Amino acid sequence: MIKIAPSLLAADSARLGEAAAALEKAGADLLHFDVMDGHFVPNLTFGPQILKHIKKYTSLLIDVHLMVTNPLEVIPWYAEAGADFITFHLEATDKPEKAIKLIKKYGIKAGITLRPDSDIKQICPYLSLVDMVLVMAVNPGFCGQRFREDTPDKIRFVNEYRSTRNILIEVDGGINKDNARICVQAGADILVAGTSVFADDKYAENIKLLRG
Ligand code: DX5
Ligand code: ZN
């Protein structure tokens, strides 16, 4: 079954603990935790200390999406704070193998991703080394953007290229009840959703709508 990873970026950031607990109760499968450094993207979000505190409110797996220029430096911060998945952007490092090894050294699942304008084929050399590929359906940086129509083709590409379903495909950005099914049919295993889950306080209903 498709897994839903609500993005805390769309929550009231002064009440993240409560949001995490409510999402768990509402049936979320993972919590998506967007880390932005104000350099790789023009926005600034959550440090490792926040992650550490959120873990007191939920036992959901924490899915960290690093949008930072220095993944090798910050991976240990989030690993030690309790991340279960860490995904970094290939554009942010010339040492992707080293970053993947570093994440795995902590016993954490490693993911790679790309901005939507980058060529998805860049993931190919690393596919056998990772646990997850995150397909970005919007430009990283903000919630509430429109889902790019070229996304299903990218999902299909990764789905055909992966030799095993042990490599998960996650999709992130602009996911709603209308495009969720298209992503799943193309091969997605995990849907990240910010705006559509936090549209109102009926999280359980909103998550259910995404499952289709
Ligand atoms: C964008 C983030 C996404 C975002 C998703 O940079 O990586 O995780 O929070 O939010 P929506 O679902 O509103 O696009
Ligand atoms: Zn994200």
Side-chain angles (χ1 to χ4, degrees):
M1 194 171 73
I2 189 72
K3 291 195 184 325
I4 308 295
S7 167
L8 285 176
L9 187 61
D12 176 344
S13 50
R15 301 170 70 188
L16 292 175
E18 285 166 53
L23 290 166
E24 179 167 356
K25 210 170 146 206
D29 299 292
L30 302 152
L31 268 191
H32 189 75
F33 191 84
D34 286 305
V35 175
M36 306 187 186
D37 66 352
H39 295 279
F40 187 77
V41 289
N43 196 3
L44 195 60
T45 60
F46 316 130
Q49 193 68 14
I50 295 180
L51 174 48
K52 215 186 240 175
H53 285 294
I54 282 176
K55 288 191 66 93
K56 293 191 263 180
Y57 293 83
T58 180
S59 54
L60 286 174
L61 297 180
I62 311 285
D63 171 36
V64 172
H65 175 192
L66 293 180
M67 287 158 275
V68 303
T69 53
N70 55 345
L72 279 171
E73 201 176 329
V74 313
I75 284 165
W77 305 350
Y78 291 91
E80 282 160 21
D84 297 285
F85 285 77
I86 296 183
T87 295
F88 67 91
H89 277 258
L90 289 178
E91 300 97 340
T93 177
D94 52 7
K95 297 188 179 73
E97 283 106 337
K98 200 169 169 190
I100 294 164
K101 270 192 201 141
L102 180 59
I103 296 168
K104 291 195 162 180
K105 202 184 87 185
Y106 286 96
I108 293 171
K109 300 226 181 295
I112 49 173
T113 189
L114 288 161
R115 291 190 178 106
D117 284 331
S118 300
D119 186 352
I120 190 73
K121 293 191 189 74
Q122 288 181 51
I123 62 148
C124 297
Y126 311 107
L127 207 52
S128 62
L129 306 175
V130 297
D131 302 292
M132 183 160 85
V133 173
L134 169 58
V135 176
M136 287 304 296
V138 298
N139 248 325
F142 299 93
C143 302
Q145 302 179 73
R146 186 193 266 266
F147 179 86
R148 285 177 51 141
E149 299 303 327
D150 57 355
T151 308
D153 278 344
K154 291 181 187 170
I155 302 170
R156 269 188 285 275
F157 173 81
V158 182
N159 190 35
E160 272 160 34
Y161 205 87
R162 66 178 167 177
S163 49
T164 153
R165 239 181 140 110
N166 287 339
I167 300 165
L168 297 168
I169 300 178
E170 180 174 59
V171 190
D172 183 7
I175 307 274
N176 56 38
K177 61 177 177 18
D178 302 320
N179 54 37
R181 178 189 289 264
I182 304 164
C183 295
V184 174
Q185 280 170 351
D189 304 294
I190 305 172
L191 302 179
V192 175
T195 306
S196 58
V197 170
F198 286 93
D200 51 40
D201 57 7
K202 297 185 186 113
Y203 302 160
E205 229 168 85
N206 298 341
I207 288 171
K208 208 168 152 206
L209 281 175
L210 293 172
R211 295 195 197 279

